[in-house]
Amino acid sequence: DGGITQSPKYLFRKEGQNVTLSCEQNLNHDAMYWYRQDPGQGLRLIYYSQIVNDFQKGDIAEGYSVSREKKESFPLTVTSAQKNPTAFYLCASSIPKPLSYKNEQFFGPGTRLTVL
Amino acid sequence: GQQLNQSPQSMFIQEGEDVSMNCTSSSIFNTWLWYKQDPGEGPVLLIALYKAGELTSNGRLTAQFGITRKDSFLNISASIPSDVGIYFCAGQLGTGTASKLTFGTGTRLQVTL
């Protein structure tokens, strides 16, 4: 049963602590993405990765870090430098079609992070 | 980063009514995607559009890629209670394996019996 999993669903941390959010996919997708969603707003891109061992900053990368050591995994670390980390975090992946213009992104169920 | 203008922001409709929402941009896009998000869940892809003027249906949903490539429309016919949620449009300019999406601000749909 293929899909994207994010764990945990809810996460609580104290201010000043780093926290790592998990994202795993078994869809054999090359590209993976992290988005942040705040109440009443759309999705904003944090980081994305086209291939293993490579990743690029999105629109709001400050205070976040990522790694892509395996094709299936793209963990996101929210560091203490992120000024307002409480949000809903969504991971996505897309079908590898280098010869096609199609690039449909599919999302995981999300992790709601609350920093106390 | 840019966000697309989506309207209306929210709407209340009665079950059985048709719904229309749209998304506009100051930039052109090569692809338009429409997603639906239920509370506390990730967005689910509804329809993907790849050519200017393209009209695509998925059950009771119909979406169109604007001829100027700067807008897109989503229509839902004969709405039912499970249509409740937030609908997002997303535009994509580039091609390849990891082209970034720009998302709209969302249209919140509530359906009354």
Side-chain angles (χ1 to χ4, degrees), chain A residues 42-62:
Chain A
L43 282 65
R44 293 183 291 168
L45 183 65
I46 304 173
Y47 268 97
Y48 65 103
S49 168
Q50 300 185 58
I51 198 169
V52 174
N53 293 323
D54 181 66
F55 48 83
Q56 288 80 40
K57 293 182 179 179
D59 299 320
I60 56 166
E62 185 175 352

Side-chain angles (χ1 to χ4, degrees), chain A residues 25 29 31 36 64-65 81 111:
Chain A
Q25 55 97 1
H29 289 178
R36 170 185 172 132
Y64 300 96
S65 66
T111 292

Side-chain angles (χ1 to χ4, degrees), chain B residues 8-113:
Chain B
Q9 288 188 346
S10 64
M11 52 196 315
F12 284 85
I13 62 169
Q14 287 194 329
E15 184 177 4
E17 288 184 344
D18 296 343
V19 174
S20 292
M21 61 190 76
N22 69 76
C23 197
T24 60
S25 169
S26 57
S27 306
I28 62 171
F29 289 107
N30 292 331
T31 299
W32 284 95
L33 306 174
W34 283 92
Y35 289 87
K36 180 189 179 220
Q37 185 178 31
D38 291 327
E41 301 295 330
V44 174
L45 182 64
L46 300 174
I47 291 181
L49 302 158
Y50 299 104
K51 296 180 182 178
E54 179 181 359
L55 186 72
T56 297
S57 294
N58 178 11
R60 293 179 296 107
L61 278 61
T62 301
Q64 185 161 24
F65 192 140
I67 196 71
T68 65
R69 295 169 61 194
K70 291 184 178 182
D71 57 8
S72 180
F73 306 86
L74 176 68
N75 297 318
I76 304 173
S77 62
S79 58
I80 59 178
S82 62
D83 290 335
V84 166
I86 303 177
Y87 291 80
F88 289 101
C89 62
Q92 183 179 76
L93 178 59
T95 57
T97 58
S99 300
K100 295 189 291 181
L101 292 179
T102 300
F103 279 84
T105 49
T107 293
R108 182 181 297 273
L109 177 63
Q110 300 190 62
V111 179
T112 58
L113 297 174

Side-chain angles (χ1 to χ4, degrees), chain A residues 5-106:
Chain A
T5 57
Q6 292 185 244
S7 60
K9 182 69 173 177
Y10 300 95
L11 191 54
F12 296 88
R13 279 295 182 269
K14 292 183 179 179
E15 191 174 353
Q17 289 182 334
N18 292 356
V19 60
T20 297
L21 281 60
S22 167
C23 178
E24 304 279 332
Q25 55 97 1
N26 60 5
L27 301 168
N28 198 34
H29 289 178
D30 282 324
M32 297 185 73
Y33 313 78
W34 274 105
Y35 292 89
R36 170 185 172 132
Q37 185 176 31
D38 293 287
Q41 295 191 30
L43 282 65
R44 293 183 291 168
L45 183 65
I46 304 173
Y47 268 97
Y48 65 103
S49 168
Q50 300 185 58
I51 198 169
V52 174
N53 293 323
D54 181 66
F55 48 83
Q56 288 80 40
K57 293 182 179 179
D59 299 320
I60 56 166
E62 185 175 352
Y64 300 96
S65 66
V66 294
S67 63
R68 186 84 187 278
E69 297 177 1
K70 298 188 299 181
K71 185 176 184 177
E72 301 79 19
S73 178
F74 191 39
L76 173 74
T77 297
V78 185
T79 75
S80 57
Q82 167 52 231
K83 299 302 181 188
N84 187 18
T86 295
F88 189 48
Y89 290 88
L90 288 157
C91 177
S93 68
S94 61
I95 299 171
K97 292 186 176 180
L99 299 180
S100 169
Y101 51 82
K102 296 186 178 182
N103 184 23
E104 299 161 3
Q105 292 184 22
F106 297 89

